[in-house]
């Protein structure tokens, strides 16, 4: 095998299970010297720069032109062609204007994978320290090549995938990559080949952050060959699914286009059969097509969704793609990341066990709001008491600091140590005062082998020096000779202590033991032998990354609305199950970890995905598989997350939801919806708004189609019965455009109906219009058609001219639609029950439509353009009677259906 092939295979292999020496040999590098100049140049030619490849995207012009590749747009372009053939320049301009506006809006709202990849690439644009030719060299991360020896220290961003060679208390924050809230403690020792990403303690991955300690590693992956590079490729290759709305609109448009062509063909055949000239018959077919095309539908879809976007923005959610707002209303499953989404990503002490008592600690996060209580009553840490001493130990044996970032409480240092400081503040202790009163003299840093940290403090002249320790119970308990009780030191009961620790762990808490030992008053150093035994156990502190306070209510609301919530996290299984139980996720006890998931075939995963509520220790590929498995089951999947590891699944889901404050830029760029307050509860509001958007779309379509249906029926019946056209093609255009703008658009402002979150989601496979609405559309179309013919023939019978009769027919259709508009404010209830004045825009639209119709009737220039004529009072009374009758019939139909539902 050639050197190049060997190195390529090295980069493709899992270096975590190889000995560090073997990795160095395979990469051909001396860890003391590093690579030299010529070898670096050869490897840069071979492997390329340490940057992510950018996928070639469609040009802006191609993306813009693709906005016209939609069935509804084809229908509108057909309408424009028809009106152009009729030499109706104004109408043609209006229709083409509608098409152009929709294309521009779609183009501006298009979400591009390249933006997510560019965000990932920016994550690599930093500097790093490497050994080259035996010298420490500061260089741009992009210049690293496989085999470079990199030096890490606190605050560094890991510049490439590294196999660690040395680690001294090295902790790396990998939460954005793995979902693990706590920084991972690193150790160069090999691990098993099937070790999950989050447990590979001998690896440091590109774009993660060094929290503390120092380390040395050899580069084994750069650019696209890194873990974050694989995620970049998954983002680029993940399909962006059509939303339920776009699928339904497309299917509806295809059926509508087919129906228009069939009816137009039938009209043409009937006219020729009756002996009309080809020109006359063609114009009649054109009139039918113009009447049947809902010119206002694409604009209405865009406007209704845009209003939903505006409403969501007021509720702290930003939509990046318009159709996504409706998708929320159809969502059947929310796959939520845990860390930073359902939880606060801030370790918090919840329980204290000291002096034989168990204390509760309220409040969450790094803020000082909260208190320590015992049996519900405030517990004051009296000087020298077990409670005071365990808090004091947490302050002094601690390297973290409480700070503020952008006005919000934060921790500088290890989150676990930060949690100890916050607990002490809640107990009323002054951190600075205690540190001044007991300055640190020496320390034993935390070591993964020892599993504890110890510090030595001067507590005052002629007083014993005190060593404080914190660490795992397994490491400290064997070193303890006694425990601190209310009356002082008392006999240690190891079994009772371990039982208490198990109880805390059973609640999903991470348990930390704290102890002390008094030493000589002049001792200034702390050797390991002085803390090997003779300790006094102060107690236990149990902590976790707490759920957001509003998460439980939001989860309950979603589940009450028929939306299943699943937790998908990189954290440990026990922690994930505990958090899921705390926030009330249904079936939280049903869980899978990453290894179990990886062992499942695709079919097995599809079967298990529906019933499993918690997925832990999962990788980015696992998240992607889970989303795809749920979609195969027919679910509409919303994926929430804030980390780099969430981005591919966010892009593949029907709707991706990212966190705006705590989330990574990669996640925000891949998402459709961004929560500006990082609040899971905002998703509940978004689901509610999404359902409102879908309701208003249904209302508009159920209202507008009877107009088109009636106009098509009027033309078809006139040809079949060999009658004159009651309405001219140009008048049909007037009706369609004016009613859509003045009346139909007002339904976009319709407020959400009560009980919208008490019903299940819209079934993913359900058509845009159900059988009830289709029946109503047919009923209203027939009634409007009958009304138009009745008014037209009545006016001719009483001696009115054909222009006046057609004007009356137009008025009957317009005001029939106006009366029907009030019925359409609710698809199931009377418009009186939704409140006559809850949508003032409706009345504005009715007033505007009435004014326009009066101008159509009485203004001479419009009479000349549209072939209309003034009407007398008798004609208006007839129009009003026909319109009122239609409204009463529809109201009666809804009343009968409500009676049937209640039985």
């Amino acid at each position: 095998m050639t050197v190049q092939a060997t190195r390529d295979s090295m980069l493709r292999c899992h270096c975590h299970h190889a000995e560090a020496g073997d990795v160095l040999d395979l990469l051909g590098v001396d860890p003391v010297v590093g690579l030299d100049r010529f070898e670096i140049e050869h490897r840069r030619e071979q492997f390329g720069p340490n940057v992510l490849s950018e996928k070639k995207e469609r040009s802006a012009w191609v993306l813009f032109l693709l906005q016209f590749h939609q069935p509804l747009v084809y229908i509108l372009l057909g309408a424009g062609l028809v009106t152009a053939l009729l030499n109706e320049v104004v109408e043609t301009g209006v229709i083409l204007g509608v098409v152009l506006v929709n294309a521009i809006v779609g183009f501006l709202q298009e979400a591009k994978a390249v933006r997510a990849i560019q965000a990932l690439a920016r994550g690599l644009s930093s500097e790093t320290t490497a050994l080259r030719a035996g010298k420490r060299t500061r260089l741009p991360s992009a210049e690293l090549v496989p085999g470079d020896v990199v030096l890490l220290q606190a605050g560094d961003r890991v510049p490439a995938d590294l196999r660690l060679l040395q680690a001294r208390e090295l902790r790396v924050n990998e939460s954005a990559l793995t979902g693990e809230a706590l920084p991972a403690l690193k150790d160069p020792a090999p691990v098993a080949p099937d070790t999950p990403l989050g447990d590979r303690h001998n690896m440091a991955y590109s774009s993660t952050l060094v929290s503390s300690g120092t380390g040395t590693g050899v580069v084994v992956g750069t650019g696209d060959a890194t873990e974050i590079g694989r995620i970049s490729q998954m983002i680029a290759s993940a399909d962006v699914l059509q939303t339920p709305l776009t699928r339904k609109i497309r299917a509806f448009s295809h059926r509508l286009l087919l129906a228009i062509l069939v009816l137009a063909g039938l009209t043409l055949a009937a006219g020729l059969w009756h002996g009309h000239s080809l020109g006359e018959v063609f114009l009649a077919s054109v009139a039918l097509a113009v009447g049947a095309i809902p010119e206002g539908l694409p604009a209405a879809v865009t406007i209704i969704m845009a209003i939903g976007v505006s409403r969501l923005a007021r509720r702290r959610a930003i939509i990046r793609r318009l159709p996504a707002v409706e998708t929320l209303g159809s969502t059947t499953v929310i796959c939520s990341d845990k860390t930073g989404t359902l939880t606060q990503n801030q370790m918090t002490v919840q329980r204290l066990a000291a002096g034989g008592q168990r204390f509760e600690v309220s409040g969450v996060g790094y803020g000082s709001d909260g208190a320590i209580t015992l049996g519900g009553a405030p517990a004051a840490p009296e000087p020298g008491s077990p409670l005071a001493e365990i808090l004091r130990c947490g302050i002094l044996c601690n390297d973290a600091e409480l700070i503020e970032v952008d006005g919000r409480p934060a921790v500088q240092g290890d989150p676990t140590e930060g949690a100890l400081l916050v607990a002490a503040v809640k107990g009323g202790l002054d951190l600075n005062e205690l540190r001044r009163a007991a300055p640190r003299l020496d320390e034993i840093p935390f070591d993964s082998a020892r599993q504890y940290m110890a510090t030595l403090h001067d507590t005052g002249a002629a007083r014993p020096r005190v060593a404080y320790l914190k660490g795992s119970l397994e490491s400290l308990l064997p070193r303890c000779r006694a425990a601190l009780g209310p009356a002082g030191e008392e006999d240690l009961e190891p079994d009772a202590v371990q039982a208490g620790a198990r109880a805390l762990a059973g609640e999903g808490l991470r348990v930390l033991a704290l102890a002390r030992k008094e030493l000589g008053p002049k001792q200034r150093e702390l050797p390991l032998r002085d803390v090997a035994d003779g300790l006094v156990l102060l107690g236990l502190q149990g902590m976790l990354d707490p759920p957001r306070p509003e998460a439980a209510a939001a989860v309950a609301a979603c589940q009450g609305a028929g939306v299943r919530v699943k937790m998908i996290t990189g954290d440990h299984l026990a922690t994930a199950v505990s958090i899921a139980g705390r926030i009330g996720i249904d079936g939280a006890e049903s869980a899978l970890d990453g290894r179990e998931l990886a062992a499942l075939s695709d079919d097995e995963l599809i079967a298990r995905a529906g019933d499993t509520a918690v997925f832990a220790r999962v990788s980015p590929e696992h998240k992607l598989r889970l989303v795809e498995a749920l979609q195969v089951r027919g679910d509409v999947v919303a994926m929430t997350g804030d980390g780099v590891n969430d981005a591919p699944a966010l892009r593949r889901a029907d709707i991706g939801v990212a966190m705006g404050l705590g989330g990574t830029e990669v996640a925000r760029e891949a998402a459709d919806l961004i929560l500006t307050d990082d609040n899971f509860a905002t998703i509940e509001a978004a689901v509610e708004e999404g359902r409102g958007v879908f309701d208003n779309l249904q209302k508009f379509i159920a209202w507008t189609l009877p107009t088109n249906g009636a106009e098509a029926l009027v033309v078809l019946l006139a040809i079949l019965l060999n009658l004159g056209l009651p309405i001219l093609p140009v008048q049909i255009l007037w009706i369609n455009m004016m009613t859509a703008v003045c009346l139909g658009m007002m339904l976009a402002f319709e407020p959400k109906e009560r009980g919208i979150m008490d019903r299940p989601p819209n079934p993913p496979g359900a058509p845009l219009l159900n059988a009830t609405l289709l029946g109503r559309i047919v009923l209203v179309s027939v009634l409007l058609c009958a009304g138009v013919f009745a008014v037209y023939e009545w006016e001719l019978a009483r001696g009115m001219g054909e222009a006046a009769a057609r004007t009356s027919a137009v008025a009957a259709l317009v005001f029939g639609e106006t009366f029907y508009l009030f019925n359409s404010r609710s698809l199931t209830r009377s418009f009186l029950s939704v409140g006559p004045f809850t949508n003032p825009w409706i009345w504005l639209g009715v007033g505007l439509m009435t004014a326009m119709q009066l101008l159509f009737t009485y203004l001479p220039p419009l009479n000349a353009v549209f072939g209309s004529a003034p009407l007398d009072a008798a004609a208006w009374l007839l129009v009003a009677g026909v319109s009122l009758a239609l409204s009463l019939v529809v109201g009666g139909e809804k009343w009968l259906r409500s009676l049937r539902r209640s039985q």
Side-chain angles (χ1 to χ4, degrees):
M1 180 181 290
T2 66
V3 173
Q4 177 173 338
T6 301
R7 288 168 179 165
D8 285 346
S9 66
M10 180 68 240
L11 292 176
R12 287 194 296 270
C13 81
H14 297 293
C15 302
H16 56 276
H17 65 83
E19 291 287 348
D22 294 338
V23 176
L24 290 169
D25 290 342
L26 197 54
L27 287 170
V29 61
D30 184 335
V32 178
V33 178
L35 298 176
D36 212 339
R37 178 176 177 176
F38 294 141
E39 183 63 24
I40 292 168
E41 292 177 357
H42 293 326
R43 297 192 184 197
R44 186 174 294 122
E45 291 177 1
Q46 178 182 347
F47 296 106
N50 181 31
V51 295
L52 299 178
S53 301
E54 295 188 10
K55 179 184 175 184
K56 186 177 180 180
E57 296 293 321
R58 295 188 180 104
S59 69
W61 276 111
V62 171
L63 199 60
F64 177 72
L65 292 175
L66 285 174
Q67 305 303 316
F68 298 92
H69 184 54
Q70 303 175 42
L72 271 180
V73 174
Y74 292 150
I75 294 176
L76 281 176
L77 291 175
L81 177 62
V82 167
T83 54
L85 292 174
L86 291 171
N87 292 320
E88 301 294 343
V89 178
V90 175
E91 288 77 5
T92 302
V94 170
I95 293 173
L96 295 181
V98 169
V99 172
L100 184 62
V101 168
N102 276 284
I104 292 173
V105 171
F107 173 73
L108 294 177
Q109 291 290 337
E110 187 73 23
K112 306 183 187 80
V114 67
R115 297 178 65 187
I117 297 171
Q118 288 170 348
L120 282 164
R122 285 194 293 273
L124 287 175
S125 58
S126 58
E127 290 193 341
T128 190
T129 301
L131 279 176
R132 287 189 166 179
K135 297 180 181 179
R136 290 189 175 208
T137 305
R138 192 74 178 166
L139 70 158
S141 299
E143 295 183 8
L144 288 176
V145 297
D148 262 323
V149 177
V150 174
L151 308 178
L152 298 175
Q153 63 182 1
D156 285 351
R157 182 182 294 275
V158 179
D161 282 3
L162 308 178
R163 172 60 166 89
L164 294 174
L165 308 175
Q166 297 176 350
R168 178 175 175 80
E169 305 305 323
L170 181 65
R171 295 177 183 270
V172 180
N173 187 334
E174 299 176 333
S175 61
L177 188 64
T178 67
E180 169 63 62
L182 289 175
L185 180 64
K186 296 300 180 178
D187 185 335
V191 295
D194 62 346
T195 303
L197 188 73
D199 294 330
R200 296 176 189 173
H201 53 69
N202 59 6
M203 298 291 296
Y205 291 107
S206 176
S207 291
T208 58
L209 296 171
V210 178
S211 298
S212 61
T214 59
T216 303
V218 61
V219 175
V220 296
T222 58
D224 292 338
T226 62
E227 285 295 324
I228 207 161
R230 291 193 309 107
I231 293 175
S232 169
Q233 295 301 313
M234 285 191 289
I235 295 173
S237 61
D239 295 330
V240 180
L241 296 185
Q242 289 186 340
T243 68
L245 176 64
T246 56
R247 288 195 294 265
K248 291 175 182 178
I249 288 288
R250 184 174 293 272
F252 168 74
S253 302
H254 283 140
R255 295 189 185 100
L256 182 60
L257 182 59
L258 180 61
I260 290 172
L261 293 176
V262 169
L263 290 175
L266 182 59
T267 302
L268 184 65
L272 293 175
W273 182 70
H274 280 298
H276 295 288
S277 68
L278 181 61
E280 288 179 318
V281 174
F282 177 74
L283 286 177
S285 300
V286 163
L288 184 143
V290 170
I293 294 172
E295 290 91 347
L297 182 55
V301 170
T302 301
I303 290 171
I304 289 173
M305 288 191 295
I307 290 173
V309 168
S310 177
R311 288 174 174 174
L312 272 173
R314 291 195 293 270
R315 302 182 77 168
R316 301 187 178 185
I318 298 173
I319 289 287
R320 300 183 71 244
R321 291 195 304 131
L322 277 181
V325 68
E326 182 277 332
T327 309
L328 283 161
S330 303
T331 299
T332 60
V333 176
I334 297 176
C335 295
S336 176
D337 184 49
K338 177 185 71 68
T339 305
T341 305
L342 290 168
T343 66
Q344 300 191 38
N345 201 12
Q346 298 180 351
M347 292 300 291
T348 306
V349 174
Q350 302 265 296
R351 305 282 187 271
L352 294 169
Q357 296 176 309
R358 179 165 161 162
F359 300 87
E360 310 288 326
V361 184
S362 62
V364 292
Y366 296 140
S368 59
D369 295 337
I372 300 176
T373 59
L374 179 63
E382 300 295 336
S385 68
L387 176 59
E389 282 302 296
I390 195 174
L391 295 176
R392 178 185 174 92
C393 179
I395 295 173
L396 297 177
C397 189
N398 199 313
D399 290 326
E401 295 288 345
L402 297 182
I403 60 174
E404 281 196 1
V405 177
D406 297 329
R408 294 186 296 165
V411 165
Q412 181 176 294
D414 187 87
T416 297
E417 294 190 325
L420 297 176
L421 296 181
V422 173
V425 171
K426 291 175 181 177
L429 301 187
D430 188 313
L431 306 184
N432 294 327
E433 181 180 340
L434 278 173
R435 285 169 171 169
R436 283 195 301 268
R440 182 184 299 185
L441 302 175
D442 197 11
E443 68 178 280
I444 299 174
F446 182 89
D447 180 85
S448 57
R450 292 189 297 266
Q451 290 292 308
Y452 69 82
M453 172 185 178
T455 55
L456 178 65
H457 296 268
D458 182 356
T459 58
R463 299 183 62 184
R465 302 284 166 84
V466 179
Y468 287 104
L469 297 89
K470 71 174 189 296
S472 68
L473 183 62
E474 293 76 14
S475 66
L476 293 188
L477 189 59
R479 303 169 188 269
C480 293
R481 61 173 176 81
L484 185 63
E489 294 183 9
E490 57 187 29
D491 291 339
L492 180 66
E493 299 181 10
D495 291 343
V497 174
Q498 290 176 342
R502 285 194 296 271
L504 294 176
E507 298 179 38
L509 302 178
R510 303 175 193 266
V511 181
L512 200 64
L514 296 99
R516 75 179 185 193
K517 183 179 182 180
E518 293 185 351
L519 301 170
K522 295 184 179 181
Q523 184 163 338
R524 300 194 61 83
E525 295 182 352
L526 187 61
L528 289 173
R529 64 176 180 272
D530 283 354
V531 292
D533 54 26
L535 305 183
V536 176
L537 184 67
L538 302 177
L540 308 173
Q541 294 204 37
M543 62 189 69
L544 84 166
D545 179 15
R548 292 179 176 272
E550 63 282 349
V555 168
C558 289
Q559 291 176 162
V563 181
R564 307 193 308 281
V565 179
K566 298 180 183 295
M567 179 188 291
I568 303 179
T569 178
D571 210 341
H572 294 280
L573 184 64
T575 304
V577 170
S578 174
I579 294 294
R582 283 171 176 255
I583 61 177
I585 292 180
D586 290 342
E589 66 283 353
S590 175
L592 282 174
D593 66 20
R595 290 185 180 182
E596 294 171 322
L597 192 153
L600 297 177
S601 68
D602 289 344
D603 289 338
E604 290 171 334
L605 179 58
I606 292 169
R608 294 286 299 276
D611 299 328
T612 305
V614 177
F615 300 88
R617 304 306 282 170
V618 296
S619 67
E621 293 91 339
H622 293 153
K623 293 187 177 187
L624 205 54
R625 281 189 71 202
L626 283 168
V627 171
E628 291 170 338
L630 289 166
Q631 288 170 337
V632 169
R633 294 173 58 90
D635 284 307
V636 177
V637 181
M639 170 71 186
T640 75
D642 60 354
V644 173
N645 60 329
D646 298 320
L650 287 175
R651 184 162 173 79
R652 181 65 174 84
D654 295 278
I655 179 166
V657 184
M659 306 296 114
L661 291 177
T664 61
E665 185 175 353
V666 177
R668 291 194 293 269
E669 293 292 339
D672 305 294
L673 174 69
I674 300 172
L675 308 182
T676 61
D677 57 357
D678 285 13
N679 191 338
F680 184 85
T682 305
I683 297 177
E684 176 201 348
V687 171
E688 184 180 357
E689 291 295 342
R691 292 187 177 190
V693 165
F694 185 77
D695 280 1
N696 288 349
L697 281 172
Q698 276 196 319
K699 291 172 185 177
F700 177 85
I701 293 171
W703 171 83
T704 194
L705 287 187
T707 302
N708 304 109
E711 290 164 346
L713 282 175
V714 165
V715 174
L716 182 60
L717 287 176
I719 296 298
L720 289 176
L721 300 177
N722 203 20
L723 302 174
L725 285 176
I727 304 176
L728 297 175
V730 69
Q731 294 171 341
I732 289 175
L733 270 174
W734 165 270
I735 295 169
N736 288 355
M737 298 306 296
M738 294 311 301
T739 56
V741 173
C742 297
L743 301 179
M745 293 303 178
M746 304 308 157
L747 289 172
F749 300 95
E750 196 64 31
K752 296 179 294 292
E753 296 187 49
R754 64 177 183 266
I756 197 171
M757 291 295 285
D758 296 333
R759 67 190 192 207
N762 302 316
L768 191 60
L769 299 173
N770 56 33
T772 299
L773 292 182
L774 286 175
R776 185 174 301 158
I777 289 169
V778 172
L779 172 65
V780 177
S781 297
V782 171
L783 291 175
L784 285 172
C785 178
V788 165
F789 270 108
V791 169
Y792 177 71
E793 294 297 334
W794 181 274
E795 290 297 288
L796 288 178
R798 72 184 188 96
M800 304 300 292
E802 191 168 44
R806 283 175 171 158
T807 304
S808 298
V810 170
L813 195 52
V814 166
F815 286 103
E817 281 288 286
T818 302
F819 276 71
Y820 178 49
L821 180 70
F822 290 98
N823 292 103
S824 298
R825 292 192 58 201
S826 174
L827 299 177
T828 57
R829 296 183 289 138
S830 164
F831 83 93
L832 294 174
S833 65
V834 300
F837 302 103
T838 53
N839 183 4
W841 291 95
I842 290 286
W843 295 100
L844 177 65
V846 169
L848 183 61
M849 185 69 249
T850 301
M852 296 304 297
Q853 195 59 30
L854 290 175
L855 292 176
F856 174 87
T857 305
Y858 296 109
L859 192 65
L862 293 184
N863 294 154
V865 171
F866 291 103
S868 57
L871 301 180
D872 58 15
W876 285 116
L877 286 173
L878 179 62
V879 167
V882 169
S883 301
L884 180 61
L886 181 147
S887 180
L888 292 175
V889 171
V890 175
E893 180 258 351
K894 286 202 290 186
W895 178 70
L896 290 174
R897 289 188 183 277
S898 66
L899 286 180
R900 194 174 304 161
R901 284 194 302 269
S902 63
Q903 291 176 352

